[in-house]
């Protein structure tokens, strides 16, 4: 599979990708979704990582949330996302990942059992936030389709968001 | 007038409003007739429950077929989209217009996906009815 960009990358780095009206609308939605804070940082991060790996976003897979790192995320936990059902992850994280999988693979598979599991661990507000997060992180589909998602460096980098919800990729993370 | 947000997401009103706005802008970001053709294909692929019919294949142009083929792969497995599938779009549109089409497709597709999930997990009484 080719990983060369399929269209010329945007000329103005960091400003709404190509500066189109749809870019502005997507960025506004994304920033609003990021500012929502009813979910803990680890739950938000495992959902982000699951989307990144399923959609094969090289950039997103190379990032780790600063907030999740502060809350104890490490590479042992991150690796468990790939085989979460057979892992010792908390049941609440497994439920969040089941919803993520259902939405990004086959949303018609969401059923009453999944709804009951979700409501056992999460409030209505948290479930709504999780669904919005799945949309937000899945913007990577646009980048992957056009192969615009090259990582900024080899290895892992810190992903953070400012008070407006705008993203920033920071220093590299030493692993090992 | 602001776009109408999904009431199932009333627990997250600000994000729901921004999502509704993104979905509305999608229709002006690209050719709306082409986008509707691809939206119908997406909805049928995802078994959204809408009562939809597609035009007969022989009535579709090569341009429409190229965008539909891309849409199918985008929905099934974006990681498997090929250079040739994107090149087929570039035969009919400038790169930035291809980007806008894909961004519009993402907006409609992911909105549809969470709408389908939300019927069950945010409004279980609706799903049971």
């Amino acid at each position: 599979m080719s990983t060369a960009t399929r269209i010329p990358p945007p000329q103005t780095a960091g400003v709404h990708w190509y500066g189109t009206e749809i870019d502005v609308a997507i960025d506004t939605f994304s920033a609003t979704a990021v500012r929502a804070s009813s979910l803990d940082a680890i739950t938000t991060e495992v959902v982000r990582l699951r989307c990144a790996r399923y959609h094969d976003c090289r950039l997103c897979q190379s990032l780790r949330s600063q907030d999740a790192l502060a809350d104890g995320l490490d590479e042992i936990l991150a690796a468990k996302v790939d085989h979460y059902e057979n892992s010792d992850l908390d049941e609440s994280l497994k439920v969040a990942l089941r919803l993520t999988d259902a939405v990004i693979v086959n949303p018609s598979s969401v059923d009453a059992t999944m709804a009951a599991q979700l409501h056992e661990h999460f409030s209505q507000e948290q479930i709504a936030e999780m669904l919005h997060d799945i949309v937000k992180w899945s913007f990577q589909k646009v980048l992957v389709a056009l192969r615009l998602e090259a990582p900024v460096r080899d290895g892992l980098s810190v992903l953070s968001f400012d008070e407006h919800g705008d993203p920033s990729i920071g220093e590299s993370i030493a692993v090992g | 007038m602001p776009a109408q947000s999904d009431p199932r997401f009333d627990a997250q009103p600000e994000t729901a409003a921004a999502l509704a706005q993104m979905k509305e802008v999608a229709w002006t970001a690209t050719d709306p007739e082409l986008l509707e053709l691809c939206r119908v294909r997406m909805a049928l692929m995802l078994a959204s429950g809408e009562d939809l019919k597609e035009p007969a294949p022989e009535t579709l142009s090569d341009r429409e077929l190229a965008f539909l083929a891309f849409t199918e792969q985008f929905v099934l497995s974006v990681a498997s989209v090929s250079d040739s599938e994107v090149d087929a779009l570039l035969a009919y549109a400038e790169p930035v217009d291809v980007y806008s089409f894909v961004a519009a497709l993402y907006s409609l597709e992911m909105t549809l996906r969470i709408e389908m999930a939300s019927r069950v997990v945010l409004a279980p009484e609706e799903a049971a009815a």
Side-chain angles (χ1 to χ4, degrees), chain B residues 30-31 34 60-68 88-89 92-93:
Chain B
T30 191
D31 175 348
L34 184 63
L60 297 172
S61 66
D62 288 346
R63 171 178 175 264
E64 289 168 327
L65 290 169
F67 279 81
L68 280 173
L89 306 191
Y92 298 100

Side-chain angles (χ1 to χ4, degrees), chain B residues 19-34:
Chain B
L19 181 65
Q21 181 65 22
M22 179 177 92
K23 187 178 168 187
E24 187 165 287
V25 169
W27 290 104
T28 60
T30 191
D31 175 348
E33 288 183 19
L34 184 63

Side-chain angles (χ1 to χ4, degrees), chain A residues 38-68:
Chain A
S38 67
L39 284 171
D40 66 276
I42 296 286
T43 302
T44 299
E45 181 67 350
V46 298
V47 168
R48 189 189 68 79
L49 286 171
R50 189 69 181 174
C51 292
R53 288 172 180 166
Y54 182 77
H55 293 137
D56 189 32
C57 181
R58 295 168 296 158
L59 174 61
C60 309
Q61 291 180 79
S62 77
L63 304 176
R64 296 292 180 269
S65 151
Q66 185 173 53
D67 290 344

Side-chain angles (χ1 to χ4, degrees), chain A residues 76-93:
Chain A
I76 296 171
L77 192 159
K80 292 176 183 174
V81 172
D82 286 340
H83 49 88
Y84 64 89
E85 287 291 9
N86 298 317
S87 75
D88 61 356
L89 285 177
D90 289 349
E91 186 62 20
S92 65
L93 296 180

Side-chain angles (χ1 to χ4, degrees), chain A residues 2-3 14 20 40 69 82 102 123 167 170:
Chain A
S2 166
T3 54
T20 64
D40 66 276
L69 290 168
D82 286 340
S123 67

Side-chain angles (χ1 to χ4, degrees), chain A residues 1-2 6-8 17-18 20-23 25-26 28-29 32-33 35-36 38 54-56 99 103-108 110-112 115 118-119 124-125 127-129 131-132 134-136 138-139 141-142 144-148, chain B residues 8-9 11-12 14-16 18-19 21-22 25-26 28-29 46-47 70 74-83 86-87 90 95-96 98-100 102-104 106-107 109-114 116-118 120-124:
Chain A
M1 183 65 60
S2 166
R6 291 169 174 153
I7 63 172
W17 285 91
Y18 290 86
T20 64
E21 191 183 3
I22 187 78
D23 280 323
I26 289 171
T28 300
F29 161 72
T32 310
R35 291 198 304 270
S38 67
Y54 182 77
H55 293 137
D56 189 32
L99 176 67
V103 170
I104 63 180
V105 179
N106 180 12
S108 65
V110 177
D111 60 13
L118 282 161
H119 284 278
Q124 188 88 347
E125 182 180 12
I127 297 167
E129 181 175 329
L131 289 168
H132 284 144
I134 295 167
V135 178
K136 183 263 178 293
S138 295
F139 172 70
K141 292 189 74 171
V142 179
V144 170
L146 301 172
R147 283 300 176 199
L148 293 167
Chain B
R8 287 187 289 261
F9 286 88
Q12 287 278 339
E14 193 184 357
T15 319
L19 181 65
Q21 181 65 22
M22 179 177 92
V25 169
T28 60
L46 295 173
F70 176 90
F74 186 85
V75 171
L76 281 175
S77 172
V78 72
S80 301
V81 168
S82 66
D83 291 349
V86 176
D87 287 344
L90 290 167
V96 71
V98 168
Y99 171 83
S100 292
V102 180
Y106 149 76
S107 301
E109 187 217 14
M110 289 308 301
T111 304
L112 175 59
R113 285 179 182 270
I114 67 161
M116 292 172 65
S118 72
V120 184
V121 301
L122 291 179

